[in-house]
PDB file of all heavy atoms in Angstrom:
ATOM      1  N   ASP Y   1     -13.370  34.955  10.423  1.00 96.00           N
ATOM      2  CA  ASP Y   1     -12.472  33.928   9.799  1.00 96.00           C
ATOM      3  C   ASP Y   1     -13.155  32.623   9.483  1.00 96.00           C
ATOM      4  O   ASP Y   1     -12.725  31.843   8.682  1.00 96.00           O
ATOM      5  CB  ASP Y   1     -11.299  33.714  10.680  1.00 96.00           C
ATOM      6  CG  ASP Y   1     -10.520  34.987  10.818  1.00 96.00           C
ATOM      7  OD1 ASP Y   1     -10.061  35.555   9.794  1.00 96.00           O
ATOM      8  OD2 ASP Y   1     -10.244  35.339  11.913  1.00 96.00           O
ATOM      9  N   ALA Y   2     -14.209  32.402  10.257  1.00 98.00           N
ATOM     10  CA  ALA Y   2     -15.090  31.044  10.030  1.00 98.00           C
ATOM     11  C   ALA Y   2     -16.542  31.310  10.407  1.00 98.00           C
ATOM     12  O   ALA Y   2     -16.771  32.160  11.344  1.00 98.00           O
ATOM     13  CB  ALA Y   2     -14.490  29.952  10.702  1.00 98.00           C
ATOM     14  N   VAL Y   3     -17.443  30.723   9.734  1.00 98.00           N
ATOM     15  CA  VAL Y   3     -18.817  30.858  10.038  1.00 98.00           C
ATOM     16  C   VAL Y   3     -19.477  29.455  10.230  1.00 98.00           C
ATOM     17  O   VAL Y   3     -19.264  28.597   9.326  1.00 98.00           O
ATOM     18  CB  VAL Y   3     -19.586  31.589   8.840  1.00 98.00           C
ATOM     19  CG1 VAL Y   3     -21.066  31.641   9.149  1.00 98.00           C
ATOM     20  CG2 VAL Y   3     -19.095  33.014   8.831  1.00 98.00           C
ATOM     21  N   LEU Y   4     -20.140  29.196  11.427  1.00 98.00           N
ATOM     22  CA  LEU Y   4     -20.794  27.991  11.688  1.00 98.00           C
ATOM     23  C   LEU Y   4     -22.286  28.224  11.473  1.00 98.00           C
ATOM     24  O   LEU Y   4     -22.904  28.953  12.209  1.00 98.00           O
ATOM     25  CB  LEU Y   4     -20.387  27.585  13.099  1.00 98.00           C
ATOM     26  CG  LEU Y   4     -19.052  27.536  13.483  1.00 98.00           C
ATOM     27  CD1 LEU Y   4     -18.901  27.131  15.037  1.00 98.00           C
ATOM     28  CD2 LEU Y   4     -18.205  26.652  12.650  1.00 98.00           C
ATOM     29  N   GLY Y   5     -22.890  27.669  10.414  1.00 98.00           N
ATOM     30  CA  GLY Y   5     -24.289  27.846  10.231  1.00 98.00           C
ATOM     31  C   GLY Y   5     -25.026  26.675  10.914  1.00 98.00           C
ATOM     32  O   GLY Y   5     -24.477  25.744  11.365  1.00 98.00           O
ATOM     33  N   SER Y   6     -26.337  26.926  10.986  1.00 96.00           N
ATOM     34  CA  SER Y   6     -27.309  25.818  11.608  1.00 96.00           C
ATOM     35  C   SER Y   6     -27.742  24.935  10.592  1.00 96.00           C
ATOM     36  O   SER Y   6     -27.813  25.284   9.349  1.00 96.00           O
ATOM     37  CB  SER Y   6     -28.415  26.584  12.358  1.00 96.00           C
ATOM     38  OG  SER Y   6     -29.042  27.405  11.451  1.00 96.00           O
ATOM     39  N   VAL Y   7     -28.418  23.829  10.926  1.00 93.00           N
ATOM     40  CA  VAL Y   7     -29.049  22.909   9.977  1.00 93.00           C
ATOM     41  C   VAL Y   7     -30.298  22.440  10.611  1.00 93.00           C
ATOM     42  O   VAL Y   7     -30.548  22.572  11.871  1.00 93.00           O
ATOM     43  CB  VAL Y   7     -28.118  21.620   9.689  1.00 93.00           C
ATOM     44  CG1 VAL Y   7     -26.782  22.026   9.198  1.00 93.00           C
ATOM     45  CG2 VAL Y   7     -28.056  20.703  10.878  1.00 93.00           C
ATOM     46  N   GLU Y   8     -31.245  22.062   9.742  1.00 91.00           N
ATOM     47  CA  GLU Y   8     -32.625  21.473  10.216  1.00 91.00           C
ATOM     48  C   GLU Y   8     -32.837  20.149   9.422  1.00 91.00           C
ATOM     49  O   GLU Y   8     -32.730  20.254   8.249  1.00 91.00           O
ATOM     50  CB  GLU Y   8     -33.677  22.514   9.904  1.00 91.00           C
ATOM     51  CG  GLU Y   8     -35.024  21.980  10.296  1.00 91.00           C
ATOM     52  CD  GLU Y   8     -36.058  23.024   9.997  1.00 91.00           C
ATOM     53  OE1 GLU Y   8     -35.816  24.093   9.429  1.00 91.00           O
ATOM     54  OE2 GLU Y   8     -37.246  22.823  10.366  1.00 91.00           O
ATOM     55  N   PRO Y   9     -33.147  19.147  10.118  1.00 88.00           N
ATOM     56  CA  PRO Y   9     -33.513  17.943   9.395  1.00 88.00           C
ATOM     57  C   PRO Y   9     -34.705  18.167   8.567  1.00 88.00           C
ATOM     58  O   PRO Y   9     -35.682  18.773   8.987  1.00 88.00           O
ATOM     59  CB  PRO Y   9     -33.827  16.923  10.475  1.00 88.00           C
ATOM     60  CG  PRO Y   9     -33.038  17.342  11.687  1.00 88.00           C
ATOM     61  CD  PRO Y   9     -33.082  18.888  11.507  1.00 88.00           C
ATOM     62  N   ASP Y  10     -34.705  17.683   7.276  1.00 85.00           N
ATOM     63  CA  ASP Y  10     -35.818  17.872   6.425  1.00 85.00           C
ATOM     64  C   ASP Y  10     -37.105  17.216   6.951  1.00 85.00           C
ATOM     65  O   ASP Y  10     -37.187  16.010   7.041  1.00 85.00           O
ATOM     66  CB  ASP Y  10     -35.512  17.328   5.031  1.00 85.00           C
ATOM     67  CG  ASP Y  10     -36.560  17.676   3.985  1.00 85.00           C
ATOM     68  OD1 ASP Y  10     -37.651  18.210   4.398  1.00 85.00           O
ATOM     69  OD2 ASP Y  10     -36.250  17.373   2.759  1.00 85.00           O
ATOM     70  N   PRO Y  11     -38.162  18.017   7.308  1.00 81.00           N
ATOM     71  CA  PRO Y  11     -39.406  17.441   7.845  1.00 81.00           C
ATOM     72  C   PRO Y  11     -40.011  16.410   6.941  1.00 81.00           C
ATOM     73  O   PRO Y  11     -40.701  15.446   7.339  1.00 81.00           O
ATOM     74  CB  PRO Y  11     -40.336  18.643   8.120  1.00 81.00           C
ATOM     75  CG  PRO Y  11     -39.353  19.833   8.237  1.00 81.00           C
ATOM     76  CD  PRO Y  11     -38.188  19.477   7.282  1.00 81.00           C
ATOM     77  N   ALA Y  12     -39.809  16.643   5.628  1.00 86.00           N
ATOM     78  CA  ALA Y  12     -40.431  15.692   4.590  1.00 86.00           C
ATOM     79  C   ALA Y  12     -39.801  14.272   4.754  1.00 86.00           C
ATOM     80  O   ALA Y  12     -40.528  13.349   4.285  1.00 86.00           O
ATOM     81  CB  ALA Y  12     -40.263  16.281   3.168  1.00 86.00           C
ATOM     82  N   GLY Y  13     -38.658  14.148   5.275  1.00 72.00           N
ATOM     83  CA  GLY Y  13     -38.080  12.880   5.247  1.00 72.00           C
ATOM     84  C   GLY Y  13     -37.604  12.389   6.644  1.00 72.00           C
ATOM     85  O   GLY Y  13     -36.851  11.414   6.773  1.00 72.00           O
ATOM     86  N   THR Y  14     -38.126  13.051   7.676  1.00 74.00           N
ATOM     87  CA  THR Y  14     -37.695  12.795   9.106  1.00 74.00           C
ATOM     88  C   THR Y  14     -38.907  12.271   9.868  1.00 74.00           C
ATOM     89  O   THR Y  14     -39.982  12.846   9.833  1.00 74.00           O
ATOM     90  CB  THR Y  14     -37.108  14.065   9.743  1.00 74.00           C
ATOM     91  OG1 THR Y  14     -36.039  14.579   8.920  1.00 74.00           O
ATOM     92  CG2 THR Y  14     -36.531  13.668  11.087  1.00 74.00           C
ATOM     93  N   ASP Y  15     -38.702  11.231  10.692  1.00 77.00           N
ATOM     94  CA  ASP Y  15     -39.714  10.753  11.542  1.00 77.00           C
ATOM     95  C   ASP Y  15     -40.179  11.917  12.470  1.00 77.00           C
ATOM     96  O   ASP Y  15     -39.259  12.534  13.041  1.00 77.00           O
ATOM     97  CB  ASP Y  15     -39.264   9.561  12.367  1.00 77.00           C
ATOM     98  CG  ASP Y  15     -40.201   8.996  13.312  1.00 77.00           C
ATOM     99  OD1 ASP Y  15     -40.277   9.562  14.412  1.00 77.00           O
ATOM    100  OD2 ASP Y  15     -40.982   8.012  12.923  1.00 77.00           O
ATOM    101  N   PRO Y  16     -41.472  12.168  12.614  1.00 81.00           N
ATOM    102  CA  PRO Y  16     -41.873  13.308  13.465  1.00 81.00           C
ATOM    103  C   PRO Y  16     -41.368  13.252  14.917  1.00 81.00           C
ATOM    104  O   PRO Y  16     -41.000  14.294  15.515  1.00 81.00           O
ATOM    105  CB  PRO Y  16     -43.390  13.208  13.446  1.00 81.00           C
ATOM    106  CG  PRO Y  16     -43.720  12.510  12.122  1.00 81.00           C
ATOM    107  CD  PRO Y  16     -42.607  11.479  11.979  1.00 81.00           C
ATOM    108  N   ALA Y  17     -41.305  12.069  15.445  1.00 80.00           N
ATOM    109  CA  ALA Y  17     -40.848  11.926  16.815  1.00 80.00           C
ATOM    110  C   ALA Y  17     -39.354  12.271  16.977  1.00 80.00           C
ATOM    111  O   ALA Y  17     -38.859  12.967  17.811  1.00 80.00           O
ATOM    112  CB  ALA Y  17     -41.030  10.509  17.370  1.00 80.00           C
ATOM    113  N   ILE Y  18     -38.591  11.856  15.981  1.00 77.00           N
ATOM    114  CA  ILE Y  18     -37.144  12.214  15.954  1.00 77.00           C
ATOM    115  C   ILE Y  18     -36.987  13.689  15.728  1.00 77.00           C
ATOM    116  O   ILE Y  18     -36.207  14.313  16.405  1.00 77.00           O
ATOM    117  CB  ILE Y  18     -36.465  11.443  14.732  1.00 77.00           C
ATOM    118  CG1 ILE Y  18     -36.366   9.924  15.047  1.00 77.00           C
ATOM    119  CG2 ILE Y  18     -35.021  11.895  14.586  1.00 77.00           C
ATOM    120  CD1 ILE Y  18     -35.847   9.037  13.999  1.00 77.00           C
ATOM    121  N   LEU Y  19     -37.799  14.311  14.845  1.00 79.00           N
ATOM    122  CA  LEU Y  19     -37.673  15.679  14.561  1.00 79.00           C
ATOM    123  C   LEU Y  19     -38.029  16.554  15.848  1.00 79.00           C
ATOM    124  O   LEU Y  19     -37.319  17.458  16.159  1.00 79.00           O
ATOM    125  CB  LEU Y  19     -38.580  16.100  13.453  1.00 79.00           C
ATOM    126  CG  LEU Y  19     -38.515  17.578  13.004  1.00 79.00           C
ATOM    127  CD1 LEU Y  19     -37.169  17.916  12.525  1.00 79.00           C
ATOM    128  CD2 LEU Y  19     -39.553  17.816  11.869  1.00 79.00           C
ATOM    129  N   ARG Y  20     -39.006  16.087  16.566  1.00 83.00           N
ATOM    130  CA  ARG Y  20     -39.341  16.814  17.799  1.00 83.00           C
ATOM    131  C   ARG Y  20     -38.227  16.787  18.872  1.00 83.00           C
ATOM    132  O   ARG Y  20     -37.875  17.837  19.453  1.00 83.00           O
ATOM    133  CB  ARG Y  20     -40.686  16.278  18.392  1.00 83.00           C
ATOM    134  CG  ARG Y  20     -41.956  16.614  17.741  1.00 83.00           C
ATOM    135  CD  ARG Y  20     -43.107  16.327  18.554  1.00 83.00           C
ATOM    136  NE  ARG Y  20     -43.236  14.894  18.938  1.00 83.00           N
ATOM    137  CZ  ARG Y  20     -43.818  13.983  18.170  1.00 83.00           C
ATOM    138  NH1 ARG Y  20     -44.375  14.356  17.012  1.00 83.00           N
ATOM    139  NH2 ARG Y  20     -43.830  12.674  18.548  1.00 83.00           N
ATOM    140  N   ARG Y  21     -37.610  15.663  18.970  1.00 82.00           N
ATOM    141  CA  ARG Y  21     -36.552  15.488  19.892  1.00 82.00           C
ATOM    142  C   ARG Y  21     -35.342  16.298  19.470  1.00 82.00           C
ATOM    143  O   ARG Y  21     -34.624  16.845  20.257  1.00 82.00           O
ATOM    144  CB  ARG Y  21     -36.197  14.022  20.052  1.00 82.00           C
ATOM    145  CG  ARG Y  21     -37.146  13.137  20.847  1.00 82.00           C
ATOM    146  CD  ARG Y  21     -36.759  11.793  20.883  1.00 82.00           C
ATOM    147  NE  ARG Y  21     -37.670  10.954  21.747  1.00 82.00           N
ATOM    148  CZ  ARG Y  21     -38.703  10.352  21.393  1.00 82.00           C
ATOM    149  NH1 ARG Y  21     -39.009  10.363  20.071  1.00 82.00           N
ATOM    150  NH2 ARG Y  21     -39.543   9.681  22.189  1.00 82.00           N
ATOM    151  N   TRP Y  22     -35.107  16.276  18.130  1.00 76.00           N
ATOM    152  CA  TRP Y  22     -33.943  17.019  17.636  1.00 76.00           C
ATOM    153  C   TRP Y  22     -34.110  18.571  17.846  1.00 76.00           C
ATOM    154  O   TRP Y  22     -33.168  19.278  18.282  1.00 76.00           O
ATOM    155  CB  TRP Y  22     -33.751  16.749  16.157  1.00 76.00           C
ATOM    156  CG  TRP Y  22     -32.394  17.207  15.565  1.00 76.00           C
ATOM    157  CD1 TRP Y  22     -31.140  16.634  15.605  1.00 76.00           C
ATOM    158  CD2 TRP Y  22     -32.175  18.589  15.080  1.00 76.00           C
ATOM    159  NE1 TRP Y  22     -30.158  17.487  15.106  1.00 76.00           N
ATOM    160  CE2 TRP Y  22     -30.790  18.653  14.781  1.00 76.00           C
ATOM    161  CE3 TRP Y  22     -32.958  19.699  14.865  1.00 76.00           C
ATOM    162  CZ2 TRP Y  22     -30.282  19.764  14.259  1.00 76.00           C
ATOM    163  CZ3 TRP Y  22     -32.392  20.779  14.383  1.00 76.00           C
ATOM    164  CH2 TRP Y  22     -30.999  20.830  13.994  1.00 76.00           C
ATOM    165  N   LEU Y  23     -35.327  19.043  17.528  1.00 82.00           N
ATOM    166  CA  LEU Y  23     -35.579  20.494  17.683  1.00 82.00           C
ATOM    167  C   LEU Y  23     -35.505  20.903  19.111  1.00 82.00           C
ATOM    168  O   LEU Y  23     -35.121  21.977  19.421  1.00 82.00           O
ATOM    169  CB  LEU Y  23     -36.983  20.850  17.054  1.00 82.00           C
ATOM    170  CG  LEU Y  23     -37.037  20.678  15.555  1.00 82.00           C
ATOM    171  CD1 LEU Y  23     -38.501  20.868  15.111  1.00 82.00           C
ATOM    172  CD2 LEU Y  23     -36.113  21.687  14.887  1.00 82.00           C
ATOM    173  N   ALA Y  24     -35.892  20.001  20.038  1.00 85.00           N
ATOM    174  CA  ALA Y  24     -35.815  20.393  21.488  1.00 85.00           C
ATOM    175  C   ALA Y  24     -34.400  20.528  21.923  1.00 85.00           C
ATOM    176  O   ALA Y  24     -34.100  21.331  22.785  1.00 85.00           O
ATOM    177  CB  ALA Y  24     -36.544  19.348  22.301  1.00 85.00           C
ATOM    178  N   ARG Y  25     -33.473  19.774  21.310  1.00 82.00           N
ATOM    179  CA  ARG Y  25     -32.073  19.867  21.660  1.00 82.00           C
ATOM    180  C   ARG Y  25     -31.271  20.901  20.891  1.00 82.00           C
ATOM    181  O   ARG Y  25     -30.141  21.089  21.275  1.00 82.00           O
ATOM    182  CB  ARG Y  25     -31.472  18.430  21.497  1.00 82.00           C
ATOM    183  CG  ARG Y  25     -31.914  17.407  22.545  1.00 82.00           C
ATOM    184  CD  ARG Y  25     -31.557  16.011  22.022  1.00 82.00           C
ATOM    185  NE  ARG Y  25     -31.866  14.972  23.023  1.00 82.00           N
ATOM    186  CZ  ARG Y  25     -33.140  14.489  23.227  1.00 82.00           C
ATOM    187  NH1 ARG Y  25     -34.144  14.971  22.526  1.00 82.00           N
ATOM    188  NH2 ARG Y  25     -33.268  13.584  24.279  1.00 82.00           N
ATOM    189  N   HIS Y  26     -31.818  21.336  19.862  1.00 83.00           N
ATOM    190  CA  HIS Y  26     -31.049  22.315  18.936  1.00 83.00           C
ATOM    191  C   HIS Y  26     -31.939  23.561  18.593  1.00 83.00           C
ATOM    192  O   HIS Y  26     -32.436  23.708  17.436  1.00 83.00           O
ATOM    193  CB  HIS Y  26     -30.681  21.620  17.680  1.00 83.00           C
ATOM    194  CG  HIS Y  26     -29.824  20.393  17.891  1.00 83.00           C
ATOM    195  ND1 HIS Y  26     -30.298  19.213  18.322  1.00 83.00           N
ATOM    196  CD2 HIS Y  26     -28.505  20.237  17.690  1.00 83.00           C
ATOM    197  CE1 HIS Y  26     -29.295  18.353  18.408  1.00 83.00           C
ATOM    198  NE2 HIS Y  26     -28.190  18.991  18.053  1.00 83.00           N
ATOM    199  N   PRO Y  27     -32.177  24.403  19.603  1.00 85.00           N
ATOM    200  CA  PRO Y  27     -32.912  25.682  19.288  1.00 85.00           C
ATOM    201  C   PRO Y  27     -32.237  26.513  18.298  1.00 85.00           C
ATOM    202  O   PRO Y  27     -30.991  26.600  18.252  1.00 85.00           O
ATOM    203  CB  PRO Y  27     -33.040  26.346  20.655  1.00 85.00           C
ATOM    204  CG  PRO Y  27     -31.912  25.745  21.503  1.00 85.00           C
ATOM    205  CD  PRO Y  27     -31.737  24.364  20.994  1.00 85.00           C
ATOM    206  N   PHE Y  28     -32.890  27.169  17.414  1.00 90.00           N
ATOM    207  CA  PHE Y  28     -32.388  28.031  16.351  1.00 90.00           C
ATOM    208  C   PHE Y  28     -32.040  29.451  16.914  1.00 90.00           C
ATOM    209  O   PHE Y  28     -32.965  30.247  17.054  1.00 90.00           O
ATOM    210  CB  PHE Y  28     -33.292  28.037  15.102  1.00 90.00           C
ATOM    211  CG  PHE Y  28     -33.446  26.721  14.445  1.00 90.00           C
ATOM    212  CD1 PHE Y  28     -34.829  26.347  14.321  1.00 90.00           C
ATOM    213  CD2 PHE Y  28     -32.444  26.061  14.040  1.00 90.00           C
ATOM    214  CE1 PHE Y  28     -35.022  25.063  13.632  1.00 90.00           C
ATOM    215  CE2 PHE Y  28     -32.684  24.687  13.468  1.00 90.00           C
ATOM    216  CZ  PHE Y  28     -33.945  24.235  13.281  1.00 90.00           C
ATOM    217  N   THR Y  29     -30.833  29.617  17.243  1.00 94.00           N
ATOM    218  CA  THR Y  29     -30.385  30.934  17.778  1.00 94.00           C
ATOM    219  C   THR Y  29     -29.122  31.332  17.286  1.00 94.00           C
ATOM    220  O   THR Y  29     -28.301  30.574  16.666  1.00 94.00           O
ATOM    221  CB  THR Y  29     -30.201  30.851  19.327  1.00 94.00           C
ATOM    222  OG1 THR Y  29     -29.201  29.733  19.641  1.00 94.00           O
ATOM    223  CG2 THR Y  29     -31.518  30.332  20.014  1.00 94.00           C
TER     224      THR Y  29
END
């Protein structure tokens, strides 16, 4: 009845340190 998809911050416009922290908190599963 509903689907929750995942998102990923665009590496091209995201600070690398922020992206690393975000990915550590949001594993793709």
Side-chain angles (χ1 to χ4, degrees):
D1 296 306
V3 174
L4 310 179
S6 54
V7 304
E8 178 180 6
D10 188 350
T14 307
D15 179 275
I18 294 176
L19 184 59
R20 285 195 300 272
R21 289 181 174 89
W22 191 89
L23 292 173
R25 290 164 172 79
H26 300 78
F28 298 125
T29 61

